[in-house]
């Protein structure tokens, strides 16, 4: 985005026309967003041996959605978020949960864009629902990408299984997300929704147990 707008400004200068102020505003805005993305990437790359902690999973979920929104500014995708889980104390690493969510969000984005390429009039929407109930925190990522093909349904969470064309992706995002969930004592599941209809898509749900430490403190209080 920065490159495209810089080229526009350069072309305007070459034509001895004033570069629009909006060009500079967009470059500054996108540079700021790039800085935020790099900051989050540094956090995700921290030592894997770092000790786990009790943290607010809802806050980490919000952060992951904002990262996705910042990086998808040129995509025609509406991203909605519903939060009914504040606070949601779980045990693990915030950066790992964000990483798992970013994999789920990117998987949804690719499905939506692939469907748009086939059906330009199809809805382009991703809903993220953060909820807490019965001792569990859950993240549901619902897309309008048409759903997981039946032929891949039993293997979609296996490594190297992908719906993308050869060379477009290694098929590791969902297995990594599933592994992170398992490492935090949770699970990743999925189901197709609205099959055959305009809103057809998939729902991937990551569930994590709430912190036993927090639950014990709550009972004592």
């Amino acid at each position: 985005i920065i490159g495209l707008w810089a080229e526009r400004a350069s072309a305007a200068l070459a034509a001895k026309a004033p570069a629009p102020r909006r060009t500079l505003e967009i470059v500054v805005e996108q540079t700021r967003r790039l800085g935020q993305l790099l900051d989050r990437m540094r956090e995700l790359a921290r030592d894997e041996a770092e000790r786990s902690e009790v943290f607010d999973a809802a806050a980490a979920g919000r952060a992951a959605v904002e990262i996705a929104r910042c990086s998808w500014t040129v995509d025609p995708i509406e991203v909605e978020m519903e939060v009914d889980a504040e606070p949601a104390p779980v045990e693990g690493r915030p950066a790992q949960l964000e990483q798992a969510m970013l994999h789920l969000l990117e998987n949804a984005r690719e499905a939506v864009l692939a469907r748009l390429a086939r059906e330009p009039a199809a809805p382009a929407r991703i809903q993220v629902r953060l909820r807490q109930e019965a001792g569990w925190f859950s993240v549901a990522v619902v897309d309008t990408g048409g759903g997981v093909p039946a032929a891949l349904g039993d293997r979609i969470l296996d490594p190297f299984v992908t719906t993308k064309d050869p060379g477009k992706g290694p098929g590791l995002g969902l297995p990594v997300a599933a592994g992170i969930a398992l490492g935090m004592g949770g699970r990743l599941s999925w189901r197709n929704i609205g099959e055959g209809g305009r809103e057809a898509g998939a729902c991937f749900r990551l569930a994590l147990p709430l912190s036993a430490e927090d639950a014990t403190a709550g009972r004592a209080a």
Side-chain angles (χ1 to χ4, degrees), residues 1-2 5-6 22-32:
I1 295 173
I2 293 171
W5 282 90
R22 180 59 180 156
T23 298
L24 297 178
E25 292 175 349
I26 290 175
V27 168
V28 170
E29 178 185 358
Q30 294 302 317
T31 302
R32 177 183 57 80

Side-chain angles (χ1 to χ4, degrees), residues 63-186:
V65 172
E66 288 307 312
I67 291 171
R69 282 175 170 163
C70 285
S71 61
W72 298 351
T73 54
V74 298
D75 292 333
I77 300 176
E78 180 183 0
V79 181
E80 303 173 352
M81 181 167 56
E82 298 178 8
V83 183
D84 185 20
E86 292 184 311
V90 302
E91 187 169 354
R93 288 179 51 204
Q96 279 198 319
L97 178 57
E98 288 183 29
Q99 181 184 18
M101 284 192 60
L102 288 172
H103 282 307
L104 297 181
L105 288 163
E106 185 60 25
N107 178 73
R109 170 183 174 268
E110 290 174 351
V112 170
L113 292 179
R115 185 183 180 192
L116 280 177
R118 301 188 307 268
E119 308 172 39
R125 185 173 61 257
I126 296 174
Q127 294 179 314
V128 181
R129 303 167 185 162
L130 309 180
R131 293 179 178 168
Q132 180 185 157
E133 60 180 338
W136 290 81
F137 167 76
S138 69
V139 176
V141 178
V142 183
D143 64 63
T144 57
V148 176
L152 297 180
D154 293 338
R155 301 182 294 119
I156 195 63
L157 298 183
D158 293 345
F160 308 112
V161 174
T162 178
T163 60
K164 296 187 284 292
D165 294 334
K168 296 297 184 180
L172 291 175
L174 293 177
V176 167
I180 290 174
L182 184 63
M184 295 176 66

